[in-house]
Amino acid sequence: MPSHRTLGTTDEQMTASKPSDLDQATLDIAAKVIKNGGIDRELALPEKGLSAAQVSQALAALSEIPNTKWSNGRVSGAVYHGGEDMAKIWVEAFSRFEVSNPLHADCFPGVRKMESEIVSMALTLFNSPLPSSAIDQTGGAGCTTSGGTESILMACKTYRDRARVEKGIKEPEMIIPLSAHAAFDKAGEFFGIKVHHVPVDEETRQVDVAQVAALINENTIFLVGSAPNFPDGAIDDIPALSELALKYDLGLHVDCCLGSFLVPFVEKAGYPMLPFDFRVPGVTSISCDTHKYGFAPKGSSIIMYRSKHLRSFMFSVMPTWPGGVYATTGVAGSRPGAIIAGAWASMQYMGIDGYLESCREIVGAAKAIVKGIKSDFPELYVLGNPLVSVVAFASKTISIADVGAAMAARGWHLNTLQHPVAIHIACTRLTVPAVDEFLGDLRFAVDSASPIKVEDDDQVALYGLGGSSEMKNELVTKMSKRYLDVLYS
Ligand SMILES: Cc1ncc(COP(=O)(O)O)c(C=O)c1O
């Protein structure tokens, strides 16, 4: 055997030159995701900085790489549009607070003021009393964060640390609905909290409270309900979870990240609603995303607590750090004050009347979709009883994958769900004028769908790698990591 092999000549290398299935799938993803619009990729800093005009030209070219067309209302969620003038308000807020950083509250008093007001306004909206002064320990408290995931992460860390200090719990556990957002599982991984997933009722899509009760043990630190959840938009039975939380002295987090600035207005807009906020006595924290239906710029959410005492477990303080005493509220150290200014300005611009009107329109659009599906699509069924903006639907007779593909071919970007396989649309202001088009295109999609297939229930089977669910999860995890790699290619 020669000690050196010539490239490309051995059987082994012949095989190696053919991409593996995983590599081929990665290349397929890359072909779909990487759209550079013919612009060269910059792999290193320019030797000499560009002029302002050149930077502006380059930015213009990048902005012209076609985005998914979202302004026609065919994208589920994703772009929570606050109306024509909102962009101008953001730009003004950004430009006035461009260098600000709330980590240095003394340097940027305006940002500190806006941040505290965002939290107070949200607490008021979610029916929490407010402390009357800096030293009043009664009333609710909260912080802003970078988004729903960070709000949820911080709530989980808060409950973990409180349970450790106050109850000596070293192996914490949380009990969440199967339909709760994946951020809770992420928090479980990050903070070493065991996560119990409780199935939802097939009809109502609400978490099965009896099963939640059965899982409570001496390591349980808190329970979770969503208002509404992401997959099918159901609102869990928060009063029933509250009873459990009070009985067993547990925290109860209500995830209103998606419900954000819709849920407080649903009833006022004249639609039915379920209890979800601090008026329910066992609710101890609520996450609410300003950057969804609050119409704030991306990177903005609020985590609220029933008390300052509870919030104190969220904070991190490093009293002996050589760089000085270091105290922060969330994951980040430095934070963009410009985003806080954008969120504050969005909230001021919308006001109660603006949010009420947008709620009326958005929830109205969701209701029109539910009504249309129920009356004209016997092939489909709506999951649960959507009360807010998300409508999910599935079928017992036709292939939902085909329906999704036909809708995609007509320019719709809907979310595909699993367990059960379903499609959802999260209505936004942009969906409002597109409801009739949605139902029209759905007619075409349903009519062209083939009968239900086994693979519909098991998309991974399409890769021919069937087998156990662990194998599928492993494959999906590998592919997802490749997808994340691709984003940096
Ligand atoms: C119910 C719910 N919770 C949490 C999140 C996480 O929010 P973010 O994407 O801002 O991290 C989402 C996002 O869609 C959500 O729908």
Side-chain angles (χ1 to χ4, degrees), residues 147-149 152 181 228-230 255 257-258 289 291-292:
T149 299
I152 289 171
H181 195 268
N229 72 42
F230 175 84
D255 179 11
C257 283
L258 182 58
D289 286 359
H291 71 190
K292 292 196 174 80

Side-chain angles (χ1 to χ4, degrees), residues 305-351:
Y305 298 99
R306 188 170 278 280
S307 67
K308 281 187 188 170
H309 173 70
L310 183 55
R311 182 181 63 178
S312 72
F313 294 99
M314 168 166 155
F315 297 160
S316 294
V317 182
M318 310 300 151
T320 59
W321 184 44
V325 177
Y326 188 76
T328 53
T329 55
V331 171
S334 291
R335 291 181 294 136
I339 298 289
I340 289 168
W344 185 89
S346 309
M347 290 166 79
Q348 292 297 308
Y349 181 65
M350 291 300 296

Side-chain angles (χ1 to χ4, degrees), residues 80 146-152 179-184 186 226-231 255-259 287 289 291-292 298-301 390 424:
Y80 298 87
S146 62
T149 299
E150 190 186 350
S151 290
I152 289 171
S179 54
H181 195 268
F184 292 98
K186 192 168 178 176
S226 310
N229 72 42
F230 175 84
D255 179 11
C256 294
C257 283
L258 182 58
S287 47
D289 286 359
H291 71 190
K292 292 196 174 80
K298 281 288 180 232
S300 171
S301 171
V390 172
H424 100 195

Side-chain angles (χ1 to χ4, degrees), residues 36-37 39 55-66:
N36 286 346
I39 306 170
V55 172
S56 164
Q57 211 180 359
L59 288 172
L62 286 161
S63 73
E64 278 154 21
I65 300 176

